[in-house]
Amino acid sequence: MKRLLIAMAAMVAMSGVAQAQDIKPYAGIGIGAFGVEVKDSSVGLNQKNTVFGGYAKFGVDFTDYLAVELRAGATSTGTKTYPAGTFGIPATFDVKLSSDYFISYLAKLQYPVAQDFRVYALVGGTTAKAKMDVSVVGLNFTQSKTKTGFTYGFGGEYNLNDQLSIGGEWVQYWTNVKLDNTTKAKLWGAVGTLAYHF
């Protein structure tokens, strides 16, 4: 992760060759579907929930081809009910998955396809808090871990005018991030975006 942060800092430093008038900050939101997935090989758990989520983003366009972006967001909770006898548990039980928060720090490599439309790729890292709640016969057990994983994705943006843009994207925030020796998690998002360019 240190190497990734150093590489991002180098890209930002190299972008200093851009003229000051080309540097444009922006802020916005992304709202849509998020996938929260946990796999525990010790008990055979492999749960996937698609839930609602969103984020706020703050970024800087250094050129038409390079930007950096910081995101902070969260997801709602996905629940799956398992019948009695699953994983050796004698009663019906629920497993709830969510990400209490995530923070992403991203390099945005973009390409203007037309005057008002551009496509982009994202690469960076995400620190997130994964949470799992298990409810059995009125008893609740909660496990949460905060970890950092590699992030990548792609999307497109259309400029409505000089200040506003809308778009859509798919981002894999986590891929098989180890929560412990037997548990791995994934986190992805497919959202619509809205941004204000200052």
Side-chain angles (χ1 to χ4, degrees):
M1 189 52 60
K2 265 187 179 178
R3 281 185 233 155
L4 178 63
L5 293 174
I6 291 169
M8 289 178 66
M11 283 193 293
V12 171
M14 287 186 297
S15 68
V17 298
Q19 297 180 10
Q21 63 264 27
D22 290 338
I23 297 175
K24 299 175 184 172
Y26 62 90
I29 57 170
I31 297 173
F34 282 76
V36 184
E37 305 177 9
V38 171
K39 187 173 186 178
D40 187 340
S41 59
S42 66
V43 295
L45 174 70
N46 187 6
Q47 183 167 323
K48 300 177 181 180
N49 290 107
T50 301
V51 298
F52 178 77
Y55 60 78
K57 63 179 179 178
F58 308 93
V60 177
D61 284 319
F62 290 103
T63 70
D64 286 340
Y65 304 98
L66 176 65
V68 294
E69 192 169 296
L70 179 67
R71 300 178 172 188
T75 75
S76 61
T77 301
T79 304
K80 184 173 181 181
T81 300
Y82 292 88
T86 307
F87 312 132
I89 297 175
T92 300
F93 63 97
D94 293 333
V95 176
K96 298 179 180 180
L97 303 178
S98 65
S99 176
D100 278 1
Y101 69 83
F102 62 89
I103 299 170
S104 300
Y105 21 92
L106 307 165
K108 187 178 181 184
L109 310 173
Q110 47 200 14
Y111 183 77
V113 177
Q115 184 177 356
D116 294 326
F117 180 71
R118 62 184 169 183
V119 294
Y120 60 86
L122 297 166
V123 62
T126 296
T127 299
K129 182 178 181 180
K131 186 177 178 183
M132 180 168 64
D133 288 310
V134 181
S135 301
V136 185
V137 197
L139 300 174
N140 293 320
F141 306 93
T142 300
Q143 180 182 11
S144 63
K145 293 275 186 175
T146 301
K147 296 283 186 175
T148 300
F150 178 67
T151 302
Y152 62 91
F154 59 88
E157 286 181 307
Y158 177 76
N159 294 327
L160 298 172
N161 55 42
D162 288 342
Q163 275 78 45
L164 288 176
S165 66
I166 58 172
E169 66 176 28
W170 175 87
V171 177
Q172 187 77 40
Y173 291 98
W174 275 4
T175 303
N176 293 326
V177 170
K178 284 188 173 182
L179 301 182
D180 56 37
N181 290 334
T182 61
T183 310
K184 296 179 180 178
K186 294 182 181 179
L187 178 65
W188 57 262
V191 305
T193 63
L194 174 67
Y196 182 84
H197 302 263
F198 297 96

